[in-house]
């Protein structure tokens, strides 16, 4: 699915240069469920953003579906991103002014799909994650778990083949967290590639492989026995 | 102890001042947009204010000015466009003074003449005011040399102003020195200076720097100046008695007009029986106007000939006052919109202050103080800008305007008052809005405490701003279009390649002059006429159509026609083809109007050419029918002329199309020639001008030359309108700039508030262009609504404006104009919002999503 080769990323703030990713190399194959762990500030989110093409590396190569996207410009990246990648965030990132259904539809809005088909797909995915009865509500009227389910629905409604989740359970209590993990597991079973950042060793257990980051470097990779 | 509260007040004040200043610095964009916008609004207001003060202060500079009036005349004859002028006939002054002796204390006439002063070999054009001795009773002028008692007592006493004394003599003690004027009653006269007066102020309608005590005898050969009832050649002023009002005098004059004046008989002689129910005052207008009203209001009475000095335009001033106020209003709206839009940023500050014990009133005052401070900073910028622009502005308006704040405390006070009014006006709503926040609400909620109501108000105000802009664009385009239309209209003749030479003072040398001029290689033809296009006078006579010898009926009443005198070759030179008959031709030998040796004897004969309007007036449906018919007219006192119509020519726009076409008659009458129309070919214009001047100097050495290109004279007719168009364009542009500034700020703040949403959309696959479209569209809706609102208002206003033009743009022009105005506003709005939207849309979403 994707390969990172000697990827480096640094941030320049005032006089300080932070090396957020230092020579990161690994690959992820289609249908994998990978967890990324590490202490705060070690570069997990940065790594996920690069994988999700929200950011570009300073050096190194990034092959996504056999294309080197490290040098692509913003518009090119946006096109690949919207076709293949869905995102889930710790703080849900739903738009308060839109209803649940409209928030989900947003992920289809930029795909050139007819309105009728969009409505159809949104209805399907809401059924799947069990929030159909909340379609007309505003995000602020839902519980955290429900909001995250909306976010999951939004991430998969466009049939994205890969989901990037940055601490999807970080803001949820344990039962809601468990719920979301089950949902991700189900999606993985259907063939969706999942890359998830988490602080919870428990939730990392859902993944087949765990990548441990420290100070921007990959230190270990554990593969869970099947 | 008593000092305590004041001390505290001062500390508070200082504290607020410091906070205001810090806020100003911190919110660079907000402050910048507001200061810039308000500065433009204030600048426009100051510029207009200076102009208005200048225009409205005319002729109040002398003692007793409120008692001084002028008599204006008008002939509103049936079936003719009305003729109005600020002048009057020479006999009117004495007649009215005698009849209205209870109202009138004194009266004076002014005969204004464009003469020349000869100094050595140089000749200077010089306007001369020949006045009755009583002129100085009415306009008390200050003497520098000589005195009222000694210097202006005898006919031909001459006063000059200080500037003129310096111009001609280099000093001011010049009593006894002489000046040679050319020409008074066709002769040069040398007069001693009998007194020197102070320069007249700039804001007077008088054009008087050389006065001569009028000796009525010198006009003995031109009885139409002082001895006429019907020729309007003098300016008549009256000073009212204490307690007499303008209305009383007007009533008295009307009574005289209808009951005692000779106009009734003149009407019957020239036009016919007065229709029943009508009075003479329905046809002959005698209007009294206070001198202080002249500059702004005499335009309505001035007709096509203007006044002693260029008149102001009251309507134009009112229009520009409104426009300036609108620009300022747009700037104030910007302030309100931006202040409420960024309110959430300051909600926490307000809440904290309240928690610490500040009252709502104190907080409101703090915000008001900030807005007044902003406006005062803007005022400083505005004053600097006015200082820079003023020279160009003065030139454009043809006025000398000054900005002298320290020497003009009333202006300073007006401006400060304006600043505070604007500061409070713009700041009051945001102040109330912001000071109304409840601390608990603000401090516990993570989101901005923004109500949707203030958002809607902002959109409504944006709509209002852009509607104004659309109206102004429509107005500008229509004014511009009408000016283009006026200058490009087919006047019906060729006016290119012509020079107009004034030959009024070369009457006795016309043949020699023509001979010399026609020898020049580039000159094709020289034709003398009474009037050149654009400068025509009103010359009215009654012409009666006689029955023909083969029994065709005549008309019982004479028709008033305007008449021109033209030499052979005139219609040729101007390429005007007759629609029937022929033009004047020396081969016939019978075309000329000749003044008989003895008057009142036999009937004299000559030829006449009439225009199509005149032909219709005489009842000829086909111009051909007019040919060979005879008109009877009295051209010299009681002498009767019979004029045979030899040709009918098309109606041509001889004067500005601001006026409609009159029924006119062309005669070949040499004693009326005032202009040489020089038709030239070739391109060496400087040489040609030089050669013409040399010939003039040789043939008419005593006179300055007045030589103009006809094409420039034609263009000058519309110069005033072009100025209006330019001013309108400039002020509309300013209005739009200010509106766009506001829109830019609002878009920037809105985009700022929507960064998280934009980030989410981008993560969901939105491309930069999608985001830009989203942000731009948000403001396109209000702008489109503004366009829809602006259209009908603009159309209504400008259709009203066009009513004043007899020849005007067709109504369908409003379609492209409205479309263009709409597109322009939309494009400008898109550009304004689009630039910022692109910047925002390009931002990496990662940041905004993480730090929420
Ligand atoms: N936009 C940025 N500008 C400057 N520095 C940044 C930026 N983004 C991340 N960093 C720095 O890069 C390093 C890695 O940040 P990153 O957000 O990837 O850490 P993380 O592992 O996701 O931490 P956390 O578990 O707290 O989310 C940190 O030191 C961070 O301060
Ligand atoms: Mg992180």
């Amino acid at each position: 699915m994707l390969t990172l080769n000697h990827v480096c990323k640094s941030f320049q703030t005032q006089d300080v240069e932070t090396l957020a990713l230092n020579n990161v190399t690994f690959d992820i194959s289609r249908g994998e469920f990978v967890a990324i762990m590490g202490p705060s500030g070690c570069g997990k989110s940065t790594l996920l953003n690069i994988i999700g093409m929200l950011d570009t590396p300073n050096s190194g190569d990034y092959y996504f579906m056999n294309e080197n996207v490290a040098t692509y410009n913003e518009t090119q990246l946006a096109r690949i991103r919207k076709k293949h990648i869905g995102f889930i965030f710790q703080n849900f990132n739903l738009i308060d002014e839109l209803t649940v259904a409209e928030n989900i539809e947003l992920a289809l809005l930029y795909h050139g799909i007819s309105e009728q088909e969009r409505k159809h797909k949104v209805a399907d995915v809401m059924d799947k994650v069990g929030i159909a009865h909340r379609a007309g509500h505003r995000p602020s009227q839902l519980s955290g778990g429900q909001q995250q389910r909306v976010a999951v629905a939004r991430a998969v409604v466009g049939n994205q083949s890969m989901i990037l989740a940055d601490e999807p359970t970080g803001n949820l209590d344990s039962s809601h967290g468990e719920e979301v993990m089950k949902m991700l597991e189900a999606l993985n079973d259907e063939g969706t590639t999942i890359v998830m950042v988490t602080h919870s060793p428990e939730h990392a257990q859902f993944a087949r492989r765990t990548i441990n980051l420290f100070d921007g470097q990959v230190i270990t990779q554990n593969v869970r026995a099947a | 102890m008593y000092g305590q509260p004041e001390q505290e007040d001062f500390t508070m004040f200082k504290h607020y001042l410091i906070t205001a200043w810090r806020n100003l610095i911190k919110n660079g964009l907000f402050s910048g947009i507001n200061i810039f916008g308000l500065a433009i609004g204030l600048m426009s207001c100051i510029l207009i204010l200076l102009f208005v003060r200048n225009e409205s202060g005319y002729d109040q500079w002398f003692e007793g000015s409120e008692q001084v009036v002028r008599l204006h005349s008008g002939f509103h004859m049936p079936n003719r466009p009305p003729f109005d002028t600020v002048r009057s006939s020479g006999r009117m002054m004495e007649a009215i003074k005698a009849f209205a002796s209870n109202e009138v204390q004194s009266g004076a006439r002014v005969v204004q003449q464009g003469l020349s002063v000869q100094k050595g070999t140089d000749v200077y054009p010089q306007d001369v005011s020949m006045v009755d001795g009583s002129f100085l009773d009415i306009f008390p002028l200050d003497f520098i040399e000589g005195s009222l008692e000694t210097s202006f007592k005898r006919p031909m006493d001459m006063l000059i102003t200080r500037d003129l004394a310096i111009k001609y003599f280099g000093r001011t003690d010049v009593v006894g020195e002489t000046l040679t004027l050319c020409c008074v009653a066709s002769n040069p006269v040398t007069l001693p200076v009998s007194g020197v007066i102070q320069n007249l102020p700039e804001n007077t309608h008088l054009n008087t720097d050389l006065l001569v005590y009028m000796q009525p005898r010198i006009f003995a050969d031109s009885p139409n100046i002082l001895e006429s009832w019907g020729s309007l050649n003098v300016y008549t002023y009256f000073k009212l008695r204490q307690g007499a009002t303008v209305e009383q005098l007007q009533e008295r004059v009307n009574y005289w007009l209808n009951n005692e004046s000779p106009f009734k008989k003149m009407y019957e002689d020239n036009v016919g029986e007065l229709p029943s129910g009508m009075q003479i005052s329905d046809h002959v207008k005698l209007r009294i106007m206070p001198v202080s009203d002249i500059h702004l209001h005499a335009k309505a009475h001035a007709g096509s000939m203007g006044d002693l000095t260029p008149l102001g335009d009251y309507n134009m001033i009112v229009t520009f006052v409104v426009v300036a106020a609108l620009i300022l209003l747009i700037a104030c709206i910007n302030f309100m919109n931006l202040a409420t839009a960024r309110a959430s940023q300051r909600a926490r500050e307000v809440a904290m202050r309240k928690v610490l014990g500040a009252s709502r009133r104190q907080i409101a005052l703090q915000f008001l103080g900030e807005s007044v401070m902003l406006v005062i900073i803007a005022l400083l910028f505005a004053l600097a800008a006015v200082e820079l622009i003023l020279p160009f502005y003065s030139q454009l308006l043809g006025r000398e305007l000054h900005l002298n704040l320290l020497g003009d405390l009333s202006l300073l006070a007006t401006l400060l008052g304006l600043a505070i009014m604007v500061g409070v006006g713009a700041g009051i709503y945001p102040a109330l809005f912001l000071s109304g926040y409840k601390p608990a609400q603000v401090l516990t909620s993570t989101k901005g405490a923004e109500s949707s109501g203030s958002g809607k108000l902002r959109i409504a105000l944006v709509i209002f701003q852009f509607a104004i802009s659309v109206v102004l664009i429509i107005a500008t385009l229509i004014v511009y279009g009408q000016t283009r239309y006026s200058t490009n209209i087919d006047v019906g003749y060729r006016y290119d390649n012509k020079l107009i030479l004034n030959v009024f003072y070369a009457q006795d040398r016309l043949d020699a002059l023509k001979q010399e001029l026609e020898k020049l290689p580039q000159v094709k033809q020289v034709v003398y006429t009474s009037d050149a296009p654009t400068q025509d006078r009103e010359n009215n006579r009654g012409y009666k159509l006689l029955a023909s010898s083969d029994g065709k009926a005549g008309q019982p009443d004479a028709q008033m026609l305007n008449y021109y005198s033209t030499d052979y070759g005139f219609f040729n030179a101007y390429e005007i083809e007759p629609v029937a008959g022929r033009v004047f031709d020396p081969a016939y030998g019978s075309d000329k109007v000749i003044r008989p040796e003895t008057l009142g004897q036999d009937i004299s004969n000559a030829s006449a050419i009439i225009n199509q309007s005149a032909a219709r007036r005489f009842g000829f449906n086909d111009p051909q029918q007019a040919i060979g018919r005879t008109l009877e007219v009295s051209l010299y006192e009681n002498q009767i002329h019979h004029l045979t119509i030899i040709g009918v020519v098309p109606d041509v726009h001889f004067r500005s199309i601001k006026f409609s076409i009159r029924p006119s008659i062309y005669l070949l009458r040499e004693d009326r020639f005032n202009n040489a129309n020089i038709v030239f070919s070739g391109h060496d214009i400087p040489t040609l001008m030089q050669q013409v001047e040399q010939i003039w100097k040789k043939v008419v050495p005593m006179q300055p030359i007045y030589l103009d290109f006809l094409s420039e004279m034609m263009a000058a007719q519309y110069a005033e309108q072009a100025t209006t168009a330019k001013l309108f364009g400039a002020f509309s542009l300013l209005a739009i700039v200010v509106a766009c500034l506001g829109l830019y700020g609002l878009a920037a703040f809105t985009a700022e508030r929507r960064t998280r949403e934009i980030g989410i959309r981008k993560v969901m696959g939105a491309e930069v262009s999608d985001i830009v479209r989203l942000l731009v569209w948000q403001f396109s809706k209000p702008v489109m609504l503004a366009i829809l609102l602006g259209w009908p208002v603009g159309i209504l206003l400008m259709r009203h404006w066009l009513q004043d033009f007899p020849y005007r743009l067709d109504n369908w022009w409003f379609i492209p104009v409205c479309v263009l105005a709409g597109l322009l506003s939309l494009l400008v709005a898109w550009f304004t919002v689009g630039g910022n939207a692109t910047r925002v849309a390009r931002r990496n979403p990662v940041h905004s999503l993480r730090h929420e």
Side-chain angles (χ1 to χ4, degrees), chain B residues 351-358:
Chain B
M352 277 316 292
R353 280 179 191 276
K354 282 196 171 177
V355 168
L356 296 176

Side-chain angles (χ1 to χ4, degrees), chain B residues 750-769:
Chain B
T750 315
E752 220 50 67
R753 268 219 325 277
R754 292 178 76 175
T755 33
R756 197 175 72 99
E757 180 199 331
I758 291 165
I760 295 169
R761 285 181 187 270
K762 284 189 78 172
V763 170
M764 293 301 120
E767 292 171 25
V768 173
S769 58

Side-chain angles (χ1 to χ4, degrees), chain A residues 101-157:
Chain A
E102 285 164 348
N103 263 291
I104 298 173
E105 194 183 350
L106 205 61
L108 298 174
L109 211 54
Y110 304 103
H111 285 83
I113 300 174
S114 77
E115 190 176 340
Q116 207 184 351
E117 202 184 335
R118 286 205 304 263
K119 292 270 178 295
H120 204 73
K121 286 192 168 184
V122 170
D124 278 356
V125 81
M126 280 194 301
D127 275 341
K128 197 161 147 190
V129 301
I131 41 153
H133 59 297
R134 297 287 199 166
H137 290 209
R138 296 290 158 111
S140 53
Q141 298 166 315
L142 305 183
S143 73
Q146 286 167 328
Q147 289 192 42
Q148 198 61 301
R149 270 192 270 164
V150 176
V152 172
R154 186 179 61 179
V156 298
V157 67

Side-chain angles (χ1 to χ4, degrees), chain B residues 746-789:
Chain B
L746 205 53
F749 284 118
T750 315
E752 220 50 67
R753 268 219 325 277
R754 292 178 76 175
T755 33
R756 197 175 72 99
E757 180 199 331
I758 291 165
I760 295 169
R761 285 181 187 270
K762 284 189 78 172
V763 170
M764 293 301 120
E767 292 171 25
V768 173
S769 58
D770 295 314
I771 301 293
V772 171
R773 214 174 304 136
L774 177 80
L775 291 176
V776 167
W777 181 240
Q778 180 191 9
F779 286 103
S780 299
K781 274 185 287 183
V783 170
M784 278 159 148
L785 215 68
I787 292 169
L788 290 182
L789 284 175

